[in-house]
Amino acid sequence: MLPMDPAFLWWIMIVEAPMIASLYWFLHTIKRDLDRPTLKGDSQLSDALSRTRDELAGFKLEVARTYVPLSLIRDVDRRLTEHLLRIEEKLEDVRREQENRR
């Protein structure tokens, strides 16, 4: 088929015309949605958002309570405390060494 063949041009028009029309409609819809005023001041929207945040916080708390065994929390707390005490001892040793050098 030659590029200027009428059958070739006919197929291009059949395929490209709906694609271009749908692209134009898509861009027009996006522009219309972007030009629409935002609902920042809408109290219903802010109420729904705050309720959703509260529900999410409650869900996170419930997950923390039910899915982590208390024994694991105590073990982690004990290990962290021991590690922090070791760090504190090392810092005290360094401080004493510096005082002794003076």
Side-chain angles (χ1 to χ4, degrees):
M1 254 197 246
L2 296 173
M4 297 307 286
D5 187 22
F8 181 71
L9 294 175
W10 184 75
W11 279 105
I12 289 175
M13 287 187 342
I14 286 178
V15 172
E16 283 186 359
M19 286 177 41
I20 290 174
S22 62
L23 181 64
Y24 175 76
W25 176 80
F26 182 68
L27 291 174
H28 177 70
T29 305
I30 289 174
K31 185 179 182 317
R32 187 185 66 219
D33 289 344
L34 290 176
D35 289 343
R36 189 178 304 161
T38 58
L39 301 174
K40 290 181 181 176
D42 192 8
S43 64
Q44 289 180 338
L45 184 61
S46 62
D47 290 344
L49 184 60
S50 65
R51 272 186 277 124
T52 304
R53 283 185 182 149
D54 292 342
E55 289 174 6
L56 180 61
F59 177 72
K60 286 181 179 180
L61 184 61
E62 183 64 28
V63 167
R65 285 183 184 155
T66 57
Y67 290 126
V68 179
L70 193 55
S71 61
L72 181 63
I73 293 174
R74 287 182 181 146
D75 183 50
V76 169
D77 183 51
R78 180 188 52 79
R79 289 188 296 146
L80 281 172
T81 304
E82 289 173 357
H83 191 67
L84 288 173
L85 289 173
R86 285 195 305 266
I87 292 172
E88 188 177 327
E89 287 175 13
K90 288 179 184 179
L91 288 173
E92 283 295 319
D93 292 343
V94 169
R95 186 185 60 83
R96 282 188 210 119
E97 287 178 9
Q98 287 179 352
E99 285 179 356
N100 290 338
R101 288 183 186 169
R102 292 181 187 176

